[in-house]
Amino acid sequence: MFTDEIAQQPDALRDLVRHYRSEEGSATLNALREAMRDLREESGARSVTFTGMGSSLYAAYSVTPLLRATEWRAEPIEAGEALNYGAGEGWKPQGVVVAISQSGESAETRALAERLAPTSRLIAITNDPDSGLSRAARVTLPLCAGEEAAISAKTYSNTLGTLLILAAVLTGERLSVTLERLEATADAMEAALSPQWDDPIRRAADAVDNARSVHFIGRGPSLAAAYEGALVIGEGAHVTAVGLPGGSFRHGPLELAEE
């Protein structure tokens, strides 16, 4: 089932592009633009806090460097930590909060969203527009990933795509350019799923089969892949796996590396 859903990722991403080119998707993005205008008029803040749990949170690392390179301040924070140690009753974030949950029902993310709902600064990204998270948000960006039963695959890649669409709106990039790039990405994903890669993938798996642990290392936007890769290997293969920035790996964990 998991491999089937991996193979469905290119078509799921194309469905996402079609949605945001449609009249319904365009209306959603117009509502997002209106919400951002209201926020700037109210506070002048150009900051965005991404929150979620697991792969939903990790996806946000793909766009935070892009936003920081512009006039936006962007930070990811785990929903559980924000809920228990950062989002007291008096917590009023300066900018917009983007809450990400593929199901829309992750306990910590939903609870945080419901606490923030009265501020009207909450944007939801979810695969279920009828979820509790969506009901708490001012604007919901749907993932359009279809049903998913195994480890996050389609919902994760579509979260990445949706975040790039969000970033395009925030930074004023032409949406058509982003959607064209996502279509090209779907084609590249399809090529990567070709049977010609089966042998290299199996050899890579054999190479780490007896490892005591696996470290995934990335920097910048690739941190999303490092964190998500470790999560998937831990959940799916029951192997101890850790995702780290390159610099952090050099400060200690490097000593665990074998030939």
Side-chain angles (χ1 to χ4, degrees):
M1 184 180 295
F2 183 37
T3 53
D4 288 343
E5 291 179 347
I6 288 172
Q8 293 165 13
Q9 288 179 99
D11 283 341
L13 188 56
R14 292 184 184 108
D15 287 342
L16 180 77
V17 171
R18 277 192 289 270
H19 173 78
Y20 285 103
R21 279 189 175 139
S22 71
E23 186 175 331
E24 181 183 358
S26 296
T28 299
L29 295 180
N30 285 335
L32 174 63
R33 293 183 183 98
E34 181 181 342
M36 302 315 297
R37 280 195 300 270
D38 290 348
L39 173 63
R40 288 196 294 271
E41 291 174 2
E42 177 187 340
S43 66
R46 287 183 178 268
S47 65
V48 55
T49 301
F50 295 101
T51 192
M53 300 296 294
S55 60
S56 294
L57 175 66
Y58 299 153
Y61 284 85
S62 67
V63 295
T64 48
L66 185 156
L67 291 170
R68 288 170 182 162
T70 66
E71 58 190 359
W72 285 87
R73 289 174 23 224
E75 295 293 339
I77 180 171
E78 187 195 77
E81 289 299 296
L83 182 67
N84 292 298
Y85 294 100
E89 294 299 331
W91 187 56
K92 295 180 179 180
Q94 290 299 304
V96 67
V97 176
V98 178
I100 309 165
S101 170
Q102 290 146 8
S103 67
E105 300 295 346
S106 299
E108 301 89 346
T109 308
R110 178 175 173 174
L112 180 62
E114 290 171 346
R115 184 176 295 181
L116 293 174
T119 69
S120 297
R121 294 179 176 180
L122 184 70
I123 308 298
I125 294 178
T126 178
N127 202 40
D128 184 357
D130 297 321
S131 63
L133 174 60
S134 184
R135 290 193 295 272
R138 175 168 176 174
V139 179
T140 295
L141 303 179
L143 294 177
C144 308
E147 292 186 9
E148 189 172 63
I151 299 171
S152 174
K154 295 185 295 180
T155 51
Y156 176 72
S157 51
N158 275 29
T159 299
L160 297 176
T162 304
L163 285 166
L164 287 169
I165 291 169
L166 171 67
V169 172
L170 296 185
T171 60
E173 180 178 318
R174 281 193 304 150
L175 182 63
S176 60
V177 173
T178 298
L179 296 180
E180 287 168 4
R181 289 172 176 166
L182 290 175
E183 280 185 318
T185 299
D187 294 341
M189 292 167 70
E190 206 158 55
L193 291 166
S194 166
Q196 67 175 317
W197 291 103
D198 288 354
D199 184 58
I201 289 171
R202 291 185 186 283
R203 284 190 280 114
D206 289 342
V208 299
D209 189 43
N210 294 317
R212 291 177 297 170
S213 62
V214 180
H215 286 71
F216 289 78
I217 303 167
R219 275 184 166 172
S222 294
L223 273 175
Y227 293 146
E228 173 68 0
L231 183 67
V232 168
I233 291 296
E235 181 179 355
H238 300 169
V239 172
T240 301
V242 181
L244 285 172
S248 294
F249 179 76
R250 291 182 61 250
H251 287 268
L254 178 62
E255 301 303 319
L256 296 172
E258 301 172 0
E259 184 177 350

